[in-house]
């Protein structure tokens, strides 16, 4: 016969998220306002004041935060939570010792003698530019081999930029994340290509100190001009105070 039913819904529990700061920055939330239903994931972005950089989280629920790897953190709501963003005075990196460089032509490797820096919180970067002519060439590896023996350390790529449609490239490689950079270690940086580069290679190595080991680099970017007379432009993002570029 005719029937009638009613569905009854129970409200999900809602919780508050208190995101404080130490006075040297602020924290933005997404979604921006609570209270939040149980099971909601909230993204927190610490925003330092000029002259400061994010340092760490503290507070009752700081252990519940998950680093998303892009300058933001997430937290899953299931009860009332409270965290505090702590900021530190930002000291820009400095060049740490002399740079090294070299050129080569019509070869598939270039070796550069180089000594690592001696400052604290070190980072080593390798820059390479090469002209393939009419046959494309790519970097197979960039390594640092300590003098007097020891295994070669393979560096990690940061960015490779092509000049328009021409077979001309620039690339940056960095000391691998999670591997300690030795202090004052003489050695050889070797850039290896998949075949000989017919129109020349230029490479350089530079040391830096005072580098934030958690986020040593900003967002890499590059631009290449298609002709010799055009000036490329690069927009830098994520800058904080005085930067070493």
């Amino acid at each position: 016969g005719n029937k009638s039913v009613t569905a009854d819904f129970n409200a999900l529990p809602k919780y508050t998220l208190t995101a404080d700061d130490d006075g040297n920055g602020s924290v933005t939330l997404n979604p921006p306002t609570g209270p939040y239903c149980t099971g909601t994931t909230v993204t927190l972005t610490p925003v330092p004041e000029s002259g400061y950089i994010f340092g760490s989280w503290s507070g009752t629920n700081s252990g519940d935060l998950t680093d998303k790897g892009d300058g933001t953190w997430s937290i899953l709501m299931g009860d009332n939570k409270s965290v505090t963003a702590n900021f530190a005075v930002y000291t820009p990196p400095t060049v740490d010792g002399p740079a090294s460089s070299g050129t080569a032509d019509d070869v598939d490797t270039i070796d550069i003698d180089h000594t690592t820096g001696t400052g604290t919180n070190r980072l080593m970067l390798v820059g390479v530019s090469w002209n393939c002519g009419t046959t494309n060439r790519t970097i197979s590896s960039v390594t640092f081999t300590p003098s007097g023996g020891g295994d070669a350390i393979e560096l990690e790529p940061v960015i490779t930029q092509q000049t328009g449609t021409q077979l001309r490239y620039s690339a940056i490689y960095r000391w691998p994340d999670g591997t300690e950079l030795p202090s004052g270690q003489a050695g050889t940086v070797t850039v290896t290509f998949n075949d000989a580069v017919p129109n020349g290679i230029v490479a350089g190595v530079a040391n830096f100190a005072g580098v934030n080991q958690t986020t040593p680099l900003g967002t890499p970017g590059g631009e290449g001009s298609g002709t010799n007379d055009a000036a490329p432009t690069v927009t830098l993002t994520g800058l904080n105070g005085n930067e070493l570029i």
Side-chain angles (χ1 to χ4, degrees), residues 228-243:
N228 290 335
D229 297 327
T233 59
V234 176
T235 299
L236 303 173
T237 60
L239 301 182
N240 178 40
N242 298 320
E243 298 284 342

Side-chain angles (χ1 to χ4, degrees), residues 69-91:
D70 59 357
T72 66
W73 279 255
S74 64
I75 195 167
L76 180 64
M77 299 302 295
D79 51 19
N80 295 327
K81 295 180 183 287
S82 176
V83 296
T84 299
N86 302 295
F87 301 90
V89 174
Y90 177 67
T91 303

Side-chain angles (χ1 to χ4, degrees), residues 14-243:
K14 292 186 176 182
Y15 303 102
T16 59
L17 173 58
T18 302
D20 292 325
D21 60 77
D22 64 359
N24 297 313
S26 60
V27 181
T28 61
L29 304 178
N30 186 23
T33 58
Y36 301 100
C37 290
T38 184
T40 300
T41 297
V42 182
T43 298
L44 299 86
T45 304
V47 182
E49 296 286 348
S50 179
Y52 288 84
I53 191 170
F54 174 72
S56 63
W57 292 102
S58 62
T60 305
N61 303 105
S62 59
D64 296 340
L65 288 161
T66 299
D67 186 355
K68 298 174 67 175
D70 59 357
T72 66
W73 279 255
S74 64
I75 195 167
L76 180 64
M77 299 302 295
D79 51 19
N80 295 327
K81 295 180 183 287
S82 176
V83 296
T84 299
N86 302 295
F87 301 90
V89 174
Y90 177 67
T91 303
T94 58
V95 176
D96 186 17
S100 308
S101 63
T103 63
D105 187 45
D106 204 21
V107 296
D108 60 5
T109 62
I110 178 172
D111 292 329
I112 302 171
D113 293 333
H114 183 72
T115 300
T116 64
T118 57
T120 58
N121 293 322
R122 296 180 295 276
L123 178 67
M124 186 173 80
L125 297 180
V126 177
V128 190
S129 181
W130 68 102
N131 185 348
C132 304
T134 58
T135 305
N136 203 16
R137 301 287 188 258
T138 59
I139 292 178
S140 301
S141 66
V142 178
T143 60
F144 177 80
T145 304
S147 299
D151 295 332
I153 303 297
E154 185 162 350
L155 276 65
E156 298 175 348
V158 176
I159 185 175
T160 298
Q161 179 71 44
Q162 183 177 3
T163 304
T165 59
Q166 301 180 53
L167 300 181
R168 301 179 182 182
Y169 298 88
S170 294
I172 297 174
Y173 281 70
R174 57 157 291 181
W175 187 264
D177 184 26
T179 303
E180 183 179 1
L181 177 60
S183 175
Q185 173 65 62
T188 303
V189 171
T190 301
V191 182
T192 303
F193 293 83
N194 66 331
D195 207 337
V197 179
N199 286 25
I201 308 165
V202 180
V205 192
N207 306 316
F208 303 93
V211 177
N212 185 321
Q213 298 298 300
T214 302
T215 54
L217 303 172
T219 302
E223 183 66 34
S225 61
T227 66
N228 290 335
D229 297 327
T233 59
V234 176
T235 299
L236 303 173
T237 60
L239 301 182
N240 178 40
N242 298 320
E243 298 284 342

